[in-house]
Amino acid sequence: MVNLLELVSGNSIFKQFKVNDLLFLEYKCVADQSAVKVWSKYNYFLYVVRGKKMWQSSRAKYCVREGEAIFVKKGANIIHQFFEEGFCSLMIFVPDDFISNVIKESCASIPKYTAENTDTVICLYLDEVLPAYFHSVLSYFSKEKPPPGNLLEIKFKELILDLLLSPRNELLCSYFKSLCDKSKTSIREIMESNFIYNLKLEEFAYLSGRSITSFKKDFTNTFNCTPGKWLVKRRLEHAKYLLEMTDKNINELAFETGFENASHFIRVFKQKYGLAPLQFKKSIIEHTKRHTVNTKPL
């Protein structure tokens, strides 16, 4: 897994400004792989200046094109590259604490949103405020001197408050509000959102805001089993679903369900279901054919 924040932070390839825990970055694609698994300990906004990319979560795929923006929660995703054109974007990395502190410190009358278990990727509705803000930040990268750090921070706090008042970005607002309403991140939410990625236990613990010891204890209390056993079981269930519902090959299945490699995936799948994945897929096809013949009207 690529640690996205670690990869870009301080990297001279990318123009960037760091203000305390905030990172403002002009990202131009340097990867040569068609699909890359990445994870980030911070949330991030992404506004596409040129080109397009696709973010894949455990639930869906989101293609983001020029002039569009998304918010990506802390955690992992698969990013699909498109090589027919160059890619350039503005990325703003922001931790949970920054968002919740801005909301708590604000004296503004903020609408009450019902917290929802949103996907890890949230598409943003761009009114006149968001594009203007993104382009104002982008303009700083072409100047000789960096902008004052306190100015970037103040403007970003204003953006968060503007978003909270936006009726067209309710999913994002619900997530923002949820950060203020709970003392600890839900282990179940973190695991269900990230089980298809081959993260280390320490990384799962970090995303849940816990030490590794506290994470293991809370995990056992939540799922009544160890993290290792739960991950294998959940990944196999997802692989079975993909075999039943898609035509993905073995390498794609292993990649998209968090297994180390295809041979490991085949071995544990056979242990669980008694058939190798391709045999399992063949049995589904044969069963479907028999059912179709048996139900065919006379």
Side-chain angles (χ1 to χ4, degrees):
M1 290 288 294
V2 175
N3 185 326
L4 184 59
L5 184 58
E6 190 176 273
L7 172 69
V8 300
S9 182
N11 192 326
S12 60
I13 295 175
F14 309 107
K15 296 177 182 179
Q16 56 189 276
F17 307 117
K18 194 171 189 305
V19 184
N20 297 322
D21 287 332
L22 299 176
L23 178 64
F24 300 80
L25 177 94
E26 183 185 49
Y27 179 83
K28 294 183 178 179
C29 187
V30 294
D32 58 0
Q33 298 170 277
S34 59
V36 181
K37 288 183 178 179
V38 303
W39 82 282
S40 173
K41 66 178 184 179
Y42 287 177
N43 314 287
Y44 59 90
F45 287 89
L46 180 130
Y47 174 73
V48 179
V49 179
R50 183 177 65 253
K52 64 179 179 179
K53 277 195 182 189
M54 181 182 290
W55 268 252
Q56 180 179 346
S57 71
S58 60
R59 299 186 195 178
K61 293 180 179 180
Y62 304 85
C63 190
V64 196
R65 298 174 174 82
E66 181 176 330
E68 297 178 339
I70 55 174
F71 177 86
V72 184
K73 295 181 188 178
K74 65 180 183 182
N77 297 99
I78 300 173
I79 301 178
H80 298 267
Q81 322 274 6
F82 299 94
F83 299 105
E84 63 268 24
E85 56 184 325
F87 181 82
C88 178
S89 67
L90 169 67
M91 300 182 75
I92 305 174
F93 289 86
V94 53
D96 285 352
D97 288 348
F98 185 93
I99 297 170
S100 60
N101 287 338
V102 169
I103 297 172
K104 290 174 182 177
E105 293 170 3
S106 171
C107 296
S109 178
I110 298 171
K112 290 185 178 181
Y113 293 100
T114 303
E116 297 183 31
N117 183 14
T118 54
D119 200 356
T120 54
V121 179
I122 301 174
C123 296
L124 301 182
Y125 169 76
L126 299 185
D127 55 14
E128 66 279 1
V129 174
L130 273 176
Y133 174 79
F134 292 141
H135 283 285
S136 71
V137 174
L138 284 164
S139 69
Y140 290 128
F141 291 112
S142 61
K143 297 179 180 179
E144 292 184 6
K145 292 183 179 181
N150 61 337
L151 174 62
L152 283 174
E153 186 170 349
I154 290 170
K155 290 184 68 175
F156 189 64
K157 287 180 178 180
E158 290 178 354
L159 175 70
I160 290 175
L161 294 177
D162 283 337
L163 284 168
L164 282 169
L165 299 173
S166 169
R168 300 293 293 273
N169 284 302
E170 189 169 346
L171 289 179
L172 180 66
C173 297
S174 294
Y175 176 64
F176 280 2
K177 286 289 287 180
S178 73
L179 297 178
C180 303
D181 297 337
K182 53 191 177 186
S183 57
K184 280 190 177 182
T185 303
S186 164
I187 280 185
R188 186 177 297 277
E189 182 179 342
I190 289 295
M191 298 308 296
E192 286 292 345
S193 296
N194 294 282
F195 73 88
I196 65 172
Y197 310 105
N198 194 21
L199 293 167
K200 299 175 183 177
L201 283 188
E202 292 81 2
E203 293 165 345
F204 280 117
Y206 187 94
L207 291 175
S208 72
R210 294 166 172 81
S211 67
I212 187 67
T213 302
S214 177
F215 172 77
K216 289 179 178 178
K217 179 182 177 181
D218 290 351
F219 188 98
T220 301
N221 291 336
T222 302
F223 294 103
N224 296 316
C225 68
T226 64
K229 288 183 178 179
W230 184 90
L231 283 167
V232 172
K233 178 177 179 292
R234 190 68 183 87
R235 287 167 178 168
L236 285 173
E237 289 172 350
H238 189 57
K240 179 175 176 288
Y241 169 79
L242 292 178
L243 276 168
E244 292 171 340
M245 303 303 294
T246 73
D247 293 320
K248 295 181 184 294
N249 62 43
I250 296 300
N251 287 327
E252 289 173 322
L253 287 167
F255 182 77
E256 293 189 17
T257 50
F259 289 98
E260 295 176 6
N261 50 56
S263 58
H264 178 225
F265 165 59
I266 293 170
R267 177 168 54 82
V268 295
F269 189 93
K270 189 172 182 179
Q271 288 175 349
K272 172 69 174 179
Y273 295 108
L275 294 172
L278 289 181
Q279 292 175 314
F280 183 85
K281 181 69 173 180
K282 185 178 179 181
S283 70
I284 294 172
I285 295 171
E286 290 176 349
H287 174 77
T288 302
K289 287 181 178 178
R290 289 197 300 270
H291 179 75
T292 302
V293 171
N294 292 336
T295 56
K296 187 174 181 180
L298 298 176

